Amino acid sequence: MAVINNQPTVADRMNRLPASHVFLKMISCIAAGGLFEFYELFLAGAIGVTLVKQGLISTTGLAYFIGSGFFGMFFGTTIFGRASDKIGRKNGYVYSLLIYSLFTVLLAFAPNQLWIDLLRFGAGLGVGAQLVIIDTYISELTPSKHRGFYVAFAHFITFLAVPIVTLLSYFLVPTHFLIDGWRWVVMIGGLGSVFIWWIRLGLPESPRWLEKRGRTEEADKEITKIEQLIFKEKGSLPPVTIDKVQETEKGAFSEIFKPPYRSRTIMLIIFNIFQTVGFYGFASWVPTLLVSEGVTLVHSLLYTFIIALANPFGPLLGMATSDRFERKWLIVLLSLGIAVSGTIFSLMRIPFWIIVIGLIITLFNNWFSAIYHSYQAELFPTRLRATGVGFSYSWGRLSSAFSGIIIAQLLVHFGVIGVFAFISVSMLIVAFVIGVFGPRTSKQDLEVISPVQ
């Protein structure tokens, strides 16, 4: 399963490259697709209360509305994650986004709960793999010393979607111009993704992926373009150090259940089941939680928008820390921070403190997100990266679908305190599983973290 070769590989050539504006430009284009995954994820929280007030869905149906998108993402993450290991990162990225755009535009005209849930399932099917493919894509397109920084930078861009969707909801949801305001919010997301078709023209295919598929001439062409652009910017490039052991074979799905990847797959499944409870349990339900405490709809949307302004700053903290500290321990510390601050939020009743603690939770959540997305993409080899990450990440989508139903019941029977007790315990489990079973990854080559067998 390994060969000896005296020629430098794509990994050899990539890992010696310095930090560059060339990488920032490529990653900005790639991360643009992630904007629409986050737009879709936070859309539910932004418009869900309005759908209930208009009678389009019931209070219980709100959990199914949120869950239908996550069910779609569960299947989409697995299907397109595996597909991108076969058809390429670029093609998987574009085709999944096209499916999202189609179903989201149709969702804007849905007449009742059945169609709303079905079309949101379809949108989730398309958009669910975006972050998996983006994490995989960026991990393979960047040198090991700066990988965490670039993944966090991509999340800074994608999290810009959160204040955008909440601001649009604040201004548009209470209005009616030809159609209800919430429908305009949905349609903007669907139509906006069409611009990614234009952006994609300048994106390279992953040279690592091309090399592992045996398309060595294409791989050489892509990495040479990157080298030439960086040489033009820097004036010189460091010498190549050759690692003579190369991975050449194509991966099978069953390999993620064999040593040494089986333990990583199981660990990431448990991690993703519980981390989504903490992350989306807060983000998707903030307006509903506020309304349940007596805050008016308009004020809940305003508070949600103010809290949403903090979203891009979490990834900025990730950019500053991801390559400076061990990612494993950052995940553990941030999980504990989310658990503690979530408990404090459940006890707040004064608007000022609701906003302050909400801002802190949002910072922790998105800092956490930027770190773990880099981390989990490092735990599988190139031939299996999108497959392994997609499969394990999909369990988080499934968890989110069911946790929405659990949160709805906890809110009815135990109030906001019950909801955040559930979230806090989930994040404690996250801290335990990564702290005990997670390998170290920071500043290591992908080929070292996931060795050739």
Side-chain angles (χ1 to χ4, degrees):
M1 296 182 69
V3 299
I4 301 299
N5 196 318
N6 289 321
Q7 298 299 316
T9 64
V10 166
D12 295 331
R13 295 166 68 179
M14 179 66 74
N15 285 331
R16 70 50 145 102
L17 295 176
S20 168
H21 292 299
V22 174
F23 291 123
L24 292 177
K25 182 178 179 181
M26 286 192 300
I27 290 163
S28 296
C29 294
I30 294 169
L35 276 168
F36 298 99
E37 173 154 359
F38 274 80
Y39 192 99
E40 171 67 18
L41 288 169
F42 288 84
L43 178 70
I47 70 172
V49 178
T50 299
L51 295 179
V52 173
K53 285 188 173 293
Q54 290 186 359
L56 286 168
I57 62 177
S58 64
T59 302
T60 305
L62 179 59
Y64 294 104
F65 168 65
I66 293 173
S68 62
F70 282 114
F71 271 119
M73 291 175 192
F74 168 70
F75 291 104
T77 299
T78 302
I79 293 168
F80 283 105
R82 180 59 180 161
S84 77
D85 276 338
K86 290 185 171 296
I87 66 176
R89 314 312 188 200
K90 183 174 178 178
N91 285 333
Y93 171 87
V94 171
Y95 295 148
S96 61
L97 197 61
L98 179 63
I99 293 172
Y100 160 75
S101 183
L102 172 64
F103 281 99
T104 300
V105 171
L106 292 174
L107 175 61
F109 299 97
N112 53 45
Q113 168 123 36
L114 176 62
W115 280 106
I116 286 172
D117 290 348
L118 287 174
L119 292 170
R120 190 152 193 270
F121 174 88
L125 187 70
V127 81
Q130 280 296 300
L131 287 189
V132 171
I133 296 173
I134 287 169
D135 294 342
T136 299
Y137 209 171
I138 294 172
S139 293
E140 295 175 0
L141 273 176
T142 55
S144 58
K145 295 187 297 294
H146 311 293
R147 188 167 57 241
F149 173 88
Y150 288 124
V151 172
F153 174 69
H155 279 259
F156 166 72
I157 294 173
T158 59
F159 273 111
L160 292 173
V162 186
I164 290 172
V165 70
T166 50
L167 181 63
L168 288 172
S169 299
Y170 177 66
F171 283 112
L172 294 178
V173 164
T175 68
H176 182 98
F177 177 70
L178 301 179
I179 56 177
D180 290 333
W182 70 265
R183 297 181 187 273
W184 285 114
V185 177
V186 173
M187 194 182 305
I188 288 169
L191 295 177
S193 64
V194 174
F195 288 104
I196 304 303
W197 279 85
W198 174 73
I199 291 174
R200 74 181 175 86
L201 297 176
L203 292 177
E205 181 53 88
S206 165
R208 273 186 166 101
W209 178 83
L210 289 169
E211 184 179 62
K212 299 306 178 283
R213 301 296 291 186
R215 294 160 61 177
T216 53
E217 290 186 7
E218 294 173 75
D220 178 71
K221 182 179 178 181
E222 295 289 11
I223 189 66
T224 298
K225 284 181 183 178
I226 294 171
E227 289 172 331
Q228 289 173 344
L229 289 170
I230 295 176
F231 179 83
K232 185 177 180 181
E233 177 188 338
K234 302 292 185 179
S236 64
L237 295 177
V240 179
T241 301
I242 298 177
D243 181 353
K244 293 185 178 181
V245 180
Q246 300 180 44
E247 172 192 0
T248 58
E249 80 289 358
K250 301 173 185 177
F253 180 80
S254 60
E255 213 178 330
I256 67 174
F257 299 105
K258 297 177 181 177
Y261 305 115
R262 178 172 57 205
S263 60
R264 296 182 182 186
T265 301
I266 294 170
M267 178 194 70
L268 286 177
I269 288 172
I270 297 171
F271 166 80
N272 278 299
I273 285 173
F274 288 99
Q275 68 86 9
T276 52
V277 174
F279 187 88
Y280 298 116
F282 178 73
S284 298
W285 286 81
V286 168
T288 305
L289 295 172
L290 292 174
V291 169
S292 74
E293 291 297 311
V295 178
T296 66
L297 174 61
V298 172
H299 281 94
S300 74
L301 290 174
L302 177 59
Y303 293 169
T304 303
F305 169 63
I306 294 171
I307 292 171
L309 289 174
N311 274 273
F313 293 96
L316 288 178
L317 293 171
M319 290 166 63
T321 58
S322 186
D323 291 317
R324 185 171 298 178
F325 305 101
E326 173 54 48
R327 282 186 273 278
K328 165 181 173 169
W329 296 118
L330 282 173
I331 291 171
V332 171
L333 290 173
L334 289 168
S335 301
L336 296 174
I338 294 167
V340 172
S341 55
T343 302
I344 296 172
F345 183 87
S346 68
L347 303 174
M348 294 297 104
R349 296 296 178 270
I350 300 171
F352 173 79
W353 289 111
I354 288 174
I355 292 172
V356 169
I357 304 302
L359 288 169
I360 292 172
I361 295 174
T362 301
L363 281 173
F364 281 162
N365 265 336
N366 298 345
W367 188 357
F368 168 82
S369 178
I371 301 296
Y372 90 73
H373 276 280
S374 177
Y375 183 75
Q376 66 180 1
E378 299 169 318
L379 300 186
F380 296 97
T382 299
R383 66 186 185 275
L384 297 168
R385 184 161 294 114
T387 298
V389 175
F391 178 76
S392 55
Y393 195 48
S394 70
W395 287 89
R397 305 306 200 188
L398 189 63
S399 166
S400 296
F402 286 109
S403 66
I405 298 171
I406 295 171
I407 287 173
Q409 293 302 312
L410 288 172
L411 187 61
V412 170
H413 296 289
F414 301 100
V416 175
I417 292 177
V419 171
F420 277 96
F422 178 50
I423 290 173
S424 296
V425 170
S426 297
M427 296 311 291
L428 290 175
I429 294 172
V430 167
F432 173 79
V433 74
I434 295 297
V436 175
F437 301 105
R440 295 171 179 266
T441 65
S442 293
K443 296 185 180 179
Q444 298 185 57
D445 294 350
L446 292 175
E447 291 71 24
V448 172
I449 300 168
S450 300
V452 179
Q453 298 300 303

